[in-house]
Every structure is written in C-alpha cells, then in structure tokens.
Amino acid sequence: VLAENDEAIRLLNESLRLDPNYAPAHAHASWCYEQRFFRGGFHPDDRIAALEHARLALKFGADDTQAMCIAAFVQANITRDYESAIRILGPALEMNGNSALAFGFSALVHALSENYERASEQALKSLRLNHTAHLNTQPNIEIARGCIFNGCIEEAKNPGRLNNQPNSMTRAPYIILCAIPVSLSTLE
C-alpha cells in the first residue's frame, strides 16, 4: 500500500503543480499522507502534509462534497477532533446526498466519535449508493461495529461476513468476525 501511496502522491503533486487550487487533488493527497502516517511509522512530516493538504482541500473545495468529506475524515483521524469533522460532513452531505464515498467517510467519523447509531445510518446509505464490493468494506465494518457496541451482537455477523474476502487494504473484517463469538461468549 505504501508504494502505491508514494506513486499516487507523485501524481497528485504533478496535478497540483498544474493547478495548486485543485481541491480533489489536495483531498486525495491528504488521504495518502494520512495512510502513510498511520501505516508507515508515524513520521511527523507525513502528519503535517496530511493536515496541510486537508486544510487546502477544505479551503478550495467548499463546493466539492467528496473533497470536503475526505479532508474532514483525515483531520478527524489524525487530530481526534471528531466534532469539527462532523460540522464539515453535515453540510457536505446536504450539498450532495449521492456520494457513497462521502457517506462512508461520514460513517467512519461517526463511529470513531462513538456515535454508532449515526455511523450505521451513514454506512447503510453508502452501501445503497455503491454496488462496488471493494468500496463496501468500511461501511460494513461500521455497521458491524455499531451492532457490537449497541448490544445487537447477532446482527453484527451479517455485515462482517459480507466482506469476508481477502483484502490487502484492511484486516478489520476478520477482527470483527473474531470479536463476535467472544462478544456472544461462544466460539463457533
């Protein structure tokens, strides 16, 4: 993943060289740096770059739902300031209620802020808007997480199993599937 991020960052920087105000490029660069920060050793330069690109995505992308949602997620995930991200996500989703990616990021931020009911609602909207399996992992994780933390453990099985496919991007579906029997105090 890190090698792919490096190549994406190179291409995004080329795009930003051509148009320094291009919000989607800033948003995706912020996401790449956020992934590199968390998965590549917590280097301060990656954190700084992620937050700066997120700031610029919000500055130049006030009319771009996806740029706003990606940037809000990155800021929230790095700074743990979920309330600020939620204040960005609400108007962004009102502007365009048809972005599966935006609803997926909103679900993740709500789950991180421990608002599991809202996270599940947003995740279901993301899934209804998107039928591409490789983009459904995170919304299904948030539904399962919401079920686990809201005490409806049996219901958590379904979303977790929907993504019981090998995915080099995340191991979370497997962790959820392991947590469910423990939460039920039974081993399957």
Side-chain angles (χ1 to χ4, degrees):
V1 173
L2 293 178
E4 292 171 358
N5 277 357
D6 290 342
E7 178 63 8
I9 288 168
R10 186 187 70 72
L11 294 170
L12 290 164
N13 283 333
E14 183 64 22
S15 174
L16 290 168
R17 186 185 64 74
L18 298 171
D19 182 358
N21 300 338
Y22 188 47
H26 281 295
H28 286 279
S30 74
W31 192 11
C32 287
Y33 280 109
E34 177 264 347
Q35 289 177 16
R36 208 160 82 171
F37 175 69
F38 283 112
R39 296 176 185 177
F42 299 98
H43 298 292
D45 290 345
D46 290 333
R47 181 183 193 279
I48 291 166
L51 292 173
E52 179 61 10
H53 281 288
R55 184 187 72 76
L56 292 169
L58 292 171
K59 177 181 177 181
F60 299 124
D63 61 346
D64 186 318
T65 298
Q66 288 188 327
M68 291 173 68
C69 290
I70 292 169
F73 161 74
V74 168
Q75 286 183 341
N77 203 28
I78 291 178
T79 67
R80 303 296 189 233
D81 183 0
Y82 305 116
E83 294 306 314
S84 292
I86 290 168
R87 283 194 299 274
I88 294 166
L89 291 164
L93 291 171
E94 285 177 18
M95 188 172 26
N96 177 0
N98 293 313
S99 172
L101 183 68
F103 276 109
F105 277 120
S106 180
L108 182 52
V109 170
H110 282 285
L112 292 170
S113 70
E114 299 180 4
N115 184 347
Y116 302 114
E117 186 174 327
R118 183 74 171 154
S120 292
E121 291 169 10
Q122 301 289 292
L124 284 170
K125 288 180 182 179
S126 176
L127 291 171
R128 278 195 290 268
L129 291 166
N130 175 35
H131 303 289
T132 307
H134 74 279
L135 294 177
N136 285 345
T137 300
Q138 197 62 50
N140 277 307
I141 291 169
E142 301 320 324
I143 292 169
R145 186 187 332 217
C147 290
I148 290 170
F149 285 107
N150 285 323
C152 47
I153 306 301
E154 284 292 334
E155 293 175 39
K157 289 181 179 182
N158 186 29
R161 285 203 164 99
L162 288 173
N163 278 300
N164 193 11
Q165 303 296 321
N167 181 342
S168 64
M169 298 299 287
T170 182
R171 302 291 183 249
Y174 298 106
I175 294 168
I176 288 171
L177 288 173
C178 291
I180 291 168
V182 172
S183 297
L184 290 171
S185 299
T186 61
L187 295 176
E188 297 181 332

